[in-house]
mmCIF file of all heavy atoms in Angstrom:
data_model
loop_
_atom_site.group_PDB
_atom_site.id
_atom_site.type_symbol
_atom_site.label_atom_id
_atom_site.label_comp_id
_atom_site.label_asym_id
_atom_site.label_seq_id
_atom_site.Cartn_x
_atom_site.Cartn_y
_atom_site.Cartn_z
ATOM 1 N N GLU A 25 -227.325 62.857 -2.640
ATOM 2 C CA GLU A 25 -226.816 62.363 -3.926
ATOM 3 C C GLU A 25 -227.799 61.396 -4.568
ATOM 4 O O GLU A 25 -227.957 61.367 -5.794
ATOM 5 C CB GLU A 25 -225.466 61.669 -3.718
ATOM 6 C CG GLU A 25 -224.788 61.261 -5.006
ATOM 7 C CD GLU A 25 -223.418 60.653 -4.790
ATOM 8 O OE1 GLU A 25 -222.908 60.705 -3.646
ATOM 9 O OE2 GLU A 25 -222.848 60.106 -5.767
ATOM 10 N N LEU A 26 -228.488 60.612 -3.754
ATOM 11 C CA LEU A 26 -229.460 59.641 -4.248
ATOM 12 C C LEU A 26 -230.818 60.273 -4.528
ATOM 13 O O LEU A 26 -231.730 59.606 -5.021
ATOM 14 C CB LEU A 26 -229.628 58.513 -3.211
ATOM 15 C CG LEU A 26 -228.430 57.593 -2.988
ATOM 16 C CD1 LEU A 26 -228.594 56.815 -1.688
ATOM 17 C CD2 LEU A 26 -228.263 56.648 -4.170
ATOM 18 N N ARG A 27 -230.934 61.555 -4.158
ATOM 19 C CA ARG A 27 -232.181 62.295 -4.313
ATOM 20 C C ARG A 27 -233.315 61.654 -3.500
ATOM 21 O O ARG A 27 -234.465 61.573 -3.965
ATOM 22 C CB ARG A 27 -232.561 62.412 -5.788
ATOM 23 C CG ARG A 27 -231.537 63.208 -6.594
ATOM 24 C CD ARG A 27 -231.926 63.357 -8.041
ATOM 25 N NE ARG A 27 -230.927 64.110 -8.785
ATOM 26 C CZ ARG A 27 -230.995 64.365 -10.091
ATOM 27 N NH1 ARG A 27 -232.031 63.917 -10.804
ATOM 28 N NH2 ARG A 27 -230.045 65.057 -10.695
ATOM 29 N N VAL A 28 -232.935 61.204 -2.320
ATOM 30 C CA VAL A 28 -233.917 60.631 -1.403
ATOM 31 C C VAL A 28 -234.433 61.732 -0.501
ATOM 32 O O VAL A 28 -233.665 62.422 0.169
ATOM 33 C CB VAL A 28 -233.284 59.511 -0.543
ATOM 34 C CG1 VAL A 28 -234.262 59.058 0.543
ATOM 35 C CG2 VAL A 28 -232.877 58.332 -1.421
ATOM 36 N N SER A 29 -235.724 61.910 -0.468
ATOM 37 C CA SER A 29 -236.334 62.926 0.378
ATOM 38 C C SER A 29 -236.567 62.344 1.771
ATOM 39 O O SER A 29 -237.188 61.284 1.915
ATOM 40 C CB SER A 29 -237.661 63.379 -0.230
ATOM 41 O OG SER A 29 -238.282 64.330 0.604
ATOM 42 N N ILE A 30 -236.052 63.032 2.801
ATOM 43 C CA ILE A 30 -236.217 62.575 4.179
ATOM 44 C C ILE A 30 -237.546 63.098 4.721
ATOM 45 O O ILE A 30 -237.757 64.315 4.776
ATOM 46 C CB ILE A 30 -235.061 63.076 5.071
ATOM 47 C CG1 ILE A 30 -233.700 62.702 4.480
ATOM 48 C CG2 ILE A 30 -235.210 62.507 6.487
ATOM 49 C CD1 ILE A 30 -233.468 61.227 4.349
ATOM 50 N N PRO A 31 -238.452 62.218 5.112
ATOM 51 C CA PRO A 31 -239.754 62.672 5.633
ATOM 52 C C PRO A 31 -239.577 63.552 6.876
ATOM 53 O O PRO A 31 -238.677 63.327 7.678
ATOM 54 C CB PRO A 31 -240.460 61.358 6.004
ATOM 55 C CG PRO A 31 -239.754 60.302 5.214
ATOM 56 C CD PRO A 31 -238.338 60.752 5.089
ATOM 57 N N GLU A 32 -240.433 64.541 7.010
ATOM 58 C CA GLU A 32 -240.342 65.435 8.162
ATOM 59 C C GLU A 32 -240.607 64.719 9.478
ATOM 60 O O GLU A 32 -240.143 65.152 10.534
ATOM 61 C CB GLU A 32 -241.318 66.612 7.997
ATOM 62 C CG GLU A 32 -240.860 67.638 6.975
ATOM 63 C CD GLU A 32 -241.671 68.921 7.074
ATOM 64 O OE1 GLU A 32 -242.403 69.082 8.062
ATOM 65 O OE2 GLU A 32 -241.565 69.760 6.161
ATOM 66 N N ASP A 33 -241.343 63.628 9.430
ATOM 67 C CA ASP A 33 -241.647 62.896 10.656
ATOM 68 C C ASP A 33 -240.649 61.764 10.938
ATOM 69 O O ASP A 33 -240.888 60.929 11.807
ATOM 70 C CB ASP A 33 -243.070 62.340 10.615
ATOM 71 C CG ASP A 33 -243.292 61.391 9.436
ATOM 72 O OD1 ASP A 33 -242.381 61.278 8.587
ATOM 73 O OD2 ASP A 33 -244.367 60.767 9.378
ATOM 74 N N MET A 34 -239.518 61.751 10.198
ATOM 75 C CA MET A 34 -238.479 60.750 10.465
ATOM 76 C C MET A 34 -237.980 60.917 11.899
ATOM 77 O O MET A 34 -237.749 62.037 12.370
ATOM 78 C CB MET A 34 -237.310 60.924 9.492
ATOM 79 C CG MET A 34 -236.168 59.928 9.698
ATOM 80 S SD MET A 34 -236.590 58.264 9.144
ATOM 81 C CE MET A 34 -236.192 58.408 7.382
ATOM 82 N N LYS A 35 -237.796 59.810 12.600
ATOM 83 C CA LYS A 35 -237.289 59.843 13.971
ATOM 84 C C LYS A 35 -235.810 59.453 13.979
ATOM 85 O O LYS A 35 -235.370 58.645 13.154
ATOM 86 C CB LYS A 35 -238.100 58.907 14.869
ATOM 87 C CG LYS A 35 -239.544 59.348 15.050
ATOM 88 C CD LYS A 35 -240.325 58.368 15.925
ATOM 89 C CE LYS A 35 -241.765 58.825 16.085
ATOM 90 N NZ LYS A 35 -242.570 57.854 16.874
ATOM 91 N N TYR A 36 -235.063 60.029 14.924
ATOM 92 C CA TYR A 36 -233.624 59.780 15.009
ATOM 93 C C TYR A 36 -233.267 59.278 16.404
ATOM 94 O O TYR A 36 -233.536 59.937 17.407
ATOM 95 C CB TYR A 36 -232.851 61.062 14.688
ATOM 96 C CG TYR A 36 -233.200 61.630 13.329
ATOM 97 C CD1 TYR A 36 -234.083 62.711 13.212
ATOM 98 C CD2 TYR A 36 -232.671 61.079 12.170
ATOM 99 C CE1 TYR A 36 -234.433 63.218 11.967
ATOM 100 C CE2 TYR A 36 -233.006 61.586 10.918
ATOM 101 C CZ TYR A 36 -233.883 62.659 10.825
ATOM 102 O OH TYR A 36 -234.218 63.156 9.592
ATOM 103 N N PHE A 37 -232.648 58.115 16.451
ATOM 104 C CA PHE A 37 -232.227 57.502 17.706
ATOM 105 C C PHE A 37 -230.700 57.527 17.739
ATOM 106 O O PHE A 37 -230.038 56.902 16.893
ATOM 107 C CB PHE A 37 -232.770 56.079 17.809
ATOM 108 C CG PHE A 37 -234.269 56.038 17.954
ATOM 109 C CD1 PHE A 37 -235.097 56.237 16.848
ATOM 110 C CD2 PHE A 37 -234.857 55.833 19.193
ATOM 111 C CE1 PHE A 37 -236.483 56.221 16.973
ATOM 112 C CE2 PHE A 37 -236.240 55.812 19.331
ATOM 113 C CZ PHE A 37 -237.057 56.012 18.222
ATOM 114 N N CYS A 38 -230.132 58.252 18.700
ATOM 115 C CA CYS A 38 -228.698 58.528 18.712
ATOM 116 C C CYS A 38 -228.009 57.958 19.949
ATOM 117 O O CYS A 38 -228.612 57.827 21.010
ATOM 118 C CB CYS A 38 -228.455 60.037 18.642
ATOM 119 S SG CYS A 38 -229.242 60.809 17.199
ATOM 120 N N ILE A 39 -226.737 57.657 19.796
ATOM 121 C CA ILE A 39 -225.956 57.064 20.874
ATOM 122 C C ILE A 39 -225.752 58.020 22.037
ATOM 123 O O ILE A 39 -225.573 57.603 23.170
ATOM 124 C CB ILE A 39 -224.586 56.579 20.332
ATOM 125 C CG1 ILE A 39 -223.882 55.660 21.329
ATOM 126 C CG2 ILE A 39 -223.705 57.749 19.966
ATOM 127 C CD1 ILE A 39 -224.524 54.325 21.521
ATOM 128 N N SER A 40 -225.797 59.332 21.774
ATOM 129 C CA SER A 40 -225.572 60.317 22.840
ATOM 130 C C SER A 40 -226.254 61.629 22.494
ATOM 131 O O SER A 40 -226.673 61.860 21.352
ATOM 132 C CB SER A 40 -224.070 60.563 23.020
ATOM 133 O OG SER A 40 -223.531 61.210 21.877
ATOM 134 N N GLU A 41 -226.338 62.496 23.480
ATOM 135 C CA GLU A 41 -226.928 63.815 23.252
ATOM 136 C C GLU A 41 -226.076 64.618 22.266
ATOM 137 O O GLU A 41 -226.604 65.348 21.423
ATOM 138 C CB GLU A 41 -227.052 64.574 24.570
ATOM 139 C CG GLU A 41 -227.702 65.940 24.417
ATOM 140 C CD GLU A 41 -227.881 66.666 25.737
ATOM 141 O OE1 GLU A 41 -227.222 66.277 26.727
ATOM 142 O OE2 GLU A 41 -228.661 67.644 25.777
ATOM 143 N N GLN A 42 -224.752 64.490 22.378
ATOM 144 C CA GLN A 42 -223.853 65.220 21.482
ATOM 145 C C GLN A 42 -224.118 64.854 20.024
ATOM 146 O O GLN A 42 -224.185 65.721 19.149
ATOM 147 C CB GLN A 42 -222.400 64.912 21.853
ATOM 148 C CG GLN A 42 -221.379 65.676 21.015
ATOM 149 C CD GLN A 42 -219.952 65.319 21.390
ATOM 150 O OE1 GLN A 42 -219.684 64.218 21.843
ATOM 151 N NE2 GLN A 42 -219.039 66.261 21.222
ATOM 152 N N VAL A 43 -224.279 63.566 19.760
ATOM 153 C CA VAL A 43 -224.580 63.114 18.401
ATOM 154 C C VAL A 43 -225.964 63.594 17.982
ATOM 155 O O VAL A 43 -226.164 64.058 16.855
ATOM 156 C CB VAL A 43 -224.479 61.576 18.309
ATOM 157 C CG1 VAL A 43 -224.984 61.076 16.958
ATOM 158 C CG2 VAL A 43 -223.044 61.116 18.532
ATOM 159 N N SER A 44 -226.920 63.534 18.896
ATOM 160 C CA SER A 44 -228.281 63.967 18.593
ATOM 161 C C SER A 44 -228.337 65.438 18.196
ATOM 162 O O SER A 44 -229.003 65.809 17.223
ATOM 163 C CB SER A 44 -229.177 63.713 19.812
ATOM 164 O OG SER A 44 -230.490 64.161 19.581
ATOM 165 N N LEU A 45 -227.629 66.277 18.943
ATOM 166 C CA LEU A 45 -227.639 67.718 18.652
ATOM 167 C C LEU A 45 -227.004 68.029 17.299
ATOM 168 O O LEU A 45 -227.335 69.031 16.661
ATOM 169 C CB LEU A 45 -226.906 68.472 19.765
ATOM 170 C CG LEU A 45 -227.628 68.525 21.117
ATOM 171 C CD1 LEU A 45 -226.710 69.109 22.185
ATOM 172 C CD2 LEU A 45 -228.906 69.344 21.016
ATOM 173 N N TYR A 46 -226.088 67.178 16.850
ATOM 174 C CA TYR A 46 -225.392 67.406 15.580
ATOM 175 C C TYR A 46 -226.353 67.326 14.389
ATOM 176 O O TYR A 46 -226.085 67.896 13.329
ATOM 177 C CB TYR A 46 -224.273 66.379 15.434
ATOM 178 C CG TYR A 46 -223.333 66.629 14.274
ATOM 179 C CD1 TYR A 46 -222.425 67.683 14.305
ATOM 180 C CD2 TYR A 46 -223.348 65.802 13.147
ATOM 181 C CE1 TYR A 46 -221.556 67.909 13.247
ATOM 182 C CE2 TYR A 46 -222.482 66.018 12.086
ATOM 183 C CZ TYR A 46 -221.595 67.072 12.138
ATOM 184 O OH TYR A 46 -220.728 67.299 11.099
ATOM 185 N N ILE A 47 -227.475 66.635 14.570
ATOM 186 C CA ILE A 47 -228.443 66.470 13.480
ATOM 187 C C ILE A 47 -228.981 67.809 12.999
ATOM 188 O O ILE A 47 -229.347 67.960 11.829
ATOM 189 C CB ILE A 47 -229.596 65.549 13.928
ATOM 190 C CG1 ILE A 47 -229.067 64.131 14.165
ATOM 191 C CG2 ILE A 47 -230.712 65.511 12.897
ATOM 192 C CD1 ILE A 47 -230.099 63.184 14.736
ATOM 193 N N GLN A 48 -229.018 68.803 13.907
ATOM 194 C CA GLN A 48 -229.582 70.104 13.523
ATOM 195 C C GLN A 48 -228.752 70.796 12.442
ATOM 196 O O GLN A 48 -229.196 71.785 11.854
ATOM 197 C CB GLN A 48 -229.712 71.006 14.739
ATOM 198 C CG GLN A 48 -228.433 71.378 15.428
ATOM 199 C CD GLN A 48 -228.699 72.094 16.744
ATOM 200 O OE1 GLN A 48 -229.696 72.782 16.901
ATOM 201 N NE2 GLN A 48 -227.808 71.918 17.702
ATOM 202 N N LYS A 49 -227.584 70.261 12.138
ATOM 203 C CA LYS A 49 -226.789 70.769 11.018
ATOM 204 C C LYS A 49 -227.513 70.496 9.690
ATOM 205 O O LYS A 49 -227.285 71.194 8.701
ATOM 206 C CB LYS A 49 -225.411 70.100 11.024
ATOM 207 C CG LYS A 49 -224.499 70.486 9.894
ATOM 208 C CD LYS A 49 -223.144 69.786 10.002
ATOM 209 C CE LYS A 49 -222.237 70.108 8.820
ATOM 210 N NZ LYS A 49 -220.931 69.398 8.907
ATOM 211 N N PHE A 50 -228.408 69.499 9.704
ATOM 212 C CA PHE A 50 -229.059 69.078 8.464
ATOM 213 C C PHE A 50 -230.577 69.249 8.470
ATOM 214 O O PHE A 50 -231.170 69.492 7.418
ATOM 215 C CB PHE A 50 -228.724 67.604 8.182
ATOM 216 C CG PHE A 50 -227.250 67.348 8.043
ATOM 217 C CD1 PHE A 50 -226.504 66.926 9.135
ATOM 218 C CD2 PHE A 50 -226.604 67.542 6.835
ATOM 219 C CE1 PHE A 50 -225.145 66.689 9.021
ATOM 220 C CE2 PHE A 50 -225.247 67.325 6.710
ATOM 221 C CZ PHE A 50 -224.507 66.904 7.807
ATOM 222 N N VAL A 51 -231.201 69.076 9.627
ATOM 223 C CA VAL A 51 -232.659 69.219 9.704
ATOM 224 C C VAL A 51 -233.019 69.974 10.970
ATOM 225 O O VAL A 51 -232.223 70.056 11.907
ATOM 226 C CB VAL A 51 -233.371 67.836 9.712
ATOM 227 C CG1 VAL A 51 -233.133 67.086 8.418
ATOM 228 C CG2 VAL A 51 -232.927 67.009 10.906
ATOM 229 N N GLN A 52 -234.227 70.508 10.987
ATOM 230 C CA GLN A 52 -234.682 71.223 12.175
ATOM 231 C C GLN A 52 -234.753 70.252 13.355
ATOM 232 O O GLN A 52 -235.317 69.165 13.253
ATOM 233 C CB GLN A 52 -236.051 71.852 11.925
ATOM 234 C CG GLN A 52 -236.523 72.737 13.074
ATOM 235 C CD GLN A 52 -237.821 73.446 12.756
ATOM 236 O OE1 GLN A 52 -238.348 73.334 11.660
ATOM 237 N NE2 GLN A 52 -238.343 74.179 13.717
ATOM 238 N N TYR A 53 -234.167 70.665 14.453
ATOM 239 C CA TYR A 53 -234.091 69.789 15.627
ATOM 240 C C TYR A 53 -235.379 69.858 16.438
ATOM 241 O O TYR A 53 -235.801 70.931 16.861
ATOM 242 C CB TYR A 53 -232.910 70.200 16.506
ATOM 243 C CG TYR A 53 -232.622 69.256 17.649
ATOM 244 C CD1 TYR A 53 -231.767 68.171 17.480
ATOM 245 C CD2 TYR A 53 -233.198 69.441 18.903
ATOM 246 C CE1 TYR A 53 -231.491 67.298 18.523
ATOM 247 C CE2 TYR A 53 -232.937 68.576 19.946
ATOM 248 C CZ TYR A 53 -232.084 67.503 19.758
ATOM 249 O OH TYR A 53 -231.807 66.639 20.785
ATOM 250 N N ARG A 54 -235.992 68.706 16.629
ATOM 251 C CA ARG A 54 -237.197 68.633 17.462
ATOM 252 C C ARG A 54 -237.026 67.492 18.454
ATOM 253 O O ARG A 54 -236.758 66.366 18.076
ATOM 254 C CB ARG A 54 -238.442 68.358 16.604
ATOM 255 C CG ARG A 54 -238.798 69.472 15.635
ATOM 256 C CD ARG A 54 -240.175 69.198 15.030
ATOM 257 N NE ARG A 54 -240.555 70.216 14.061
ATOM 258 C CZ ARG A 54 -240.344 70.116 12.757
ATOM 259 N NH1 ARG A 54 -239.735 69.046 12.277
ATOM 260 N NH2 ARG A 54 -240.738 71.072 11.935
ATOM 261 N N LYS A 55 -237.171 67.815 19.729
ATOM 262 C CA LYS A 55 -236.974 66.804 20.770
ATOM 263 C C LYS A 55 -237.919 65.620 20.631
ATOM 264 O O LYS A 55 -237.586 64.502 20.990
ATOM 265 C CB LYS A 55 -237.123 67.442 22.157
ATOM 266 C CG LYS A 55 -235.946 68.329 22.539
ATOM 267 C CD LYS A 55 -236.049 68.794 23.981
ATOM 268 C CE LYS A 55 -234.814 69.616 24.367
ATOM 269 N NZ LYS A 55 -234.877 70.071 25.772
ATOM 270 N N ARG A 56 -239.098 65.868 20.104
ATOM 271 C CA ARG A 56 -240.049 64.769 19.982
ATOM 272 C C ARG A 56 -239.641 63.787 18.882
ATOM 273 O O ARG A 56 -240.235 62.720 18.756
ATOM 274 C CB ARG A 56 -241.454 65.312 19.703
ATOM 275 C CG ARG A 56 -241.578 66.090 18.412
ATOM 276 C CD ARG A 56 -242.994 66.656 18.253
ATOM 277 N NE ARG A 56 -243.120 67.537 17.108
ATOM 278 C CZ ARG A 56 -243.317 67.109 15.866
ATOM 279 N NH1 ARG A 56 -243.396 65.813 15.621
ATOM 280 N NH2 ARG A 56 -243.430 67.966 14.870
ATOM 281 N N LYS A 57 -238.653 64.165 18.084
ATOM 282 C CA LYS A 57 -238.183 63.265 17.031
ATOM 283 C C LYS A 57 -236.792 62.705 17.323
ATOM 284 O O LYS A 57 -236.319 61.827 16.614
ATOM 285 C CB LYS A 57 -238.132 63.991 15.686
ATOM 286 C CG LYS A 57 -239.479 64.439 15.145
ATOM 287 C CD LYS A 57 -239.390 64.748 13.658
ATOM 288 C CE LYS A 57 -238.217 65.680 13.346
ATOM 289 N NZ LYS A 57 -238.067 65.907 11.895
ATOM 290 N N ASN A 58 -236.113 63.230 18.327
ATOM 291 C CA ASN A 58 -234.747 62.819 18.642
ATOM 292 C C ASN A 58 -234.690 62.144 19.998
ATOM 293 O O ASN A 58 -235.196 62.681 20.989
ATOM 294 C CB ASN A 58 -233.809 64.035 18.623
ATOM 295 C CG ASN A 58 -233.611 64.585 17.228
ATOM 296 O OD1 ASN A 58 -234.563 65.022 16.593
ATOM 297 N ND2 ASN A 58 -232.400 64.557 16.745
ATOM 298 N N PHE A 59 -234.033 60.990 20.035
ATOM 299 C CA PHE A 59 -233.975 60.200 21.263
ATOM 300 C C PHE A 59 -232.537 59.748 21.514
ATOM 301 O O PHE A 59 -231.817 59.405 20.570
ATOM 302 C CB PHE A 59 -234.893 58.985 21.148
ATOM 303 C CG PHE A 59 -236.301 59.321 20.736
ATOM 304 C CD1 PHE A 59 -236.647 59.392 19.385
ATOM 305 C CD2 PHE A 59 -237.277 59.583 21.684
ATOM 306 C CE1 PHE A 59 -237.937 59.711 18.990
ATOM 307 C CE2 PHE A 59 -238.570 59.903 21.313
ATOM 308 C CZ PHE A 59 -238.907 59.967 19.961
ATOM 309 N N PHE A 60 -232.141 59.755 22.778
ATOM 310 C CA PHE A 60 -230.790 59.315 23.125
ATOM 311 C C PHE A 60 -230.745 58.934 24.605
ATOM 312 O O PHE A 60 -231.534 59.443 25.414
ATOM 313 C CB PHE A 60 -229.765 60.431 22.847
ATOM 314 C CG PHE A 60 -230.053 61.707 23.598
ATOM 315 C CD1 PHE A 60 -229.589 61.907 24.891
ATOM 316 C CD2 PHE A 60 -230.815 62.719 23.011
ATOM 317 C CE1 PHE A 60 -229.873 63.083 25.584
ATOM 318 C CE2 PHE A 60 -231.108 63.892 23.701
ATOM 319 C CZ PHE A 60 -230.632 64.071 24.990
ATOM 320 N N PRO A 61 -229.832 58.032 24.986
ATOM 321 C CA PRO A 61 -229.672 57.670 26.392
ATOM 322 C C PRO A 61 -228.703 58.621 27.081
ATOM 323 O O PRO A 61 -227.772 59.129 26.446
ATOM 324 C CB PRO A 61 -229.087 56.254 26.319
ATOM 325 C CG PRO A 61 -228.270 56.286 25.059
ATOM 326 C CD PRO A 61 -229.008 57.188 24.105
ATOM 327 N N GLU A 62 -228.907 58.870 28.346
ATOM 328 C CA GLU A 62 -228.009 59.758 29.094
ATOM 329 C C GLU A 62 -226.605 59.172 29.190
ATOM 330 O O GLU A 62 -225.619 59.897 29.258
ATOM 331 C CB GLU A 62 -228.566 60.004 30.499
ATOM 332 C CG GLU A 62 -229.879 60.782 30.535
ATOM 333 C CD GLU A 62 -229.734 62.205 30.024
ATOM 334 O OE1 GLU A 62 -228.615 62.762 30.103
ATOM 335 O OE2 GLU A 62 -230.733 62.773 29.541
ATOM 336 N N SER A 63 -226.514 57.839 29.188
ATOM 337 C CA SER A 63 -225.216 57.178 29.382
ATOM 338 C C SER A 63 -224.314 57.235 28.161
ATOM 339 O O SER A 63 -223.102 57.069 28.270
ATOM 340 C CB SER A 63 -225.443 55.710 29.755
ATOM 341 O OG SER A 63 -226.019 55.004 28.651
ATOM 342 N N GLY A 64 -224.905 57.449 26.977
ATOM 343 C CA GLY A 64 -224.107 57.425 25.752
ATOM 344 C C GLY A 64 -223.700 56.020 25.343
ATOM 345 O O GLY A 64 -222.714 55.835 24.625
ATOM 346 N N GLN A 65 -224.459 55.014 25.763
ATOM 347 C CA GLN A 65 -224.134 53.622 25.447
ATOM 348 C C GLN A 65 -225.286 52.948 24.699
ATOM 349 O O GLN A 65 -226.455 53.188 24.973
ATOM 350 C CB GLN A 65 -223.832 52.842 26.729
ATOM 351 C CG GLN A 65 -222.604 53.347 27.467
ATOM 352 C CD GLN A 65 -222.269 52.486 28.660
ATOM 353 O OE1 GLN A 65 -222.436 51.274 28.631
ATOM 354 N NE2 GLN A 65 -221.783 53.113 29.722
ATOM 355 N N MET A 66 -224.905 52.076 23.761
ATOM 356 C CA MET A 66 -225.894 51.413 22.917
ATOM 357 C C MET A 66 -226.846 50.556 23.733
ATOM 358 O O MET A 66 -228.047 50.492 23.440
ATOM 359 C CB MET A 66 -225.177 50.551 21.869
ATOM 360 C CG MET A 66 -226.082 50.058 20.749
ATOM 361 S SD MET A 66 -226.700 51.439 19.741
ATOM 362 C CE MET A 66 -228.120 50.679 18.968
ATOM 363 N N LYS A 67 -226.347 49.923 24.776
ATOM 364 C CA LYS A 67 -227.194 49.046 25.587
ATOM 365 C C LYS A 67 -228.343 49.816 26.244
ATOM 366 O O LYS A 67 -229.379 49.227 26.581
ATOM 367 C CB LYS A 67 -226.363 48.321 26.645
ATOM 368 C CG LYS A 67 -225.766 49.214 27.726
ATOM 369 C CD LYS A 67 -224.967 48.399 28.720
ATOM 370 C CE LYS A 67 -224.365 49.264 29.827
ATOM 371 N NZ LYS A 67 -225.379 49.893 30.675
#
């Protein structure tokens, strides 16, 4: 809506793998750009 272009090299840090995988609904999923802890906890 804001017409903001998301750079292809944007990195995504997610609370869990489930949340991380959901990103592929909007952009191509690349493991080198997506990071998450196995525990699913912010700490």
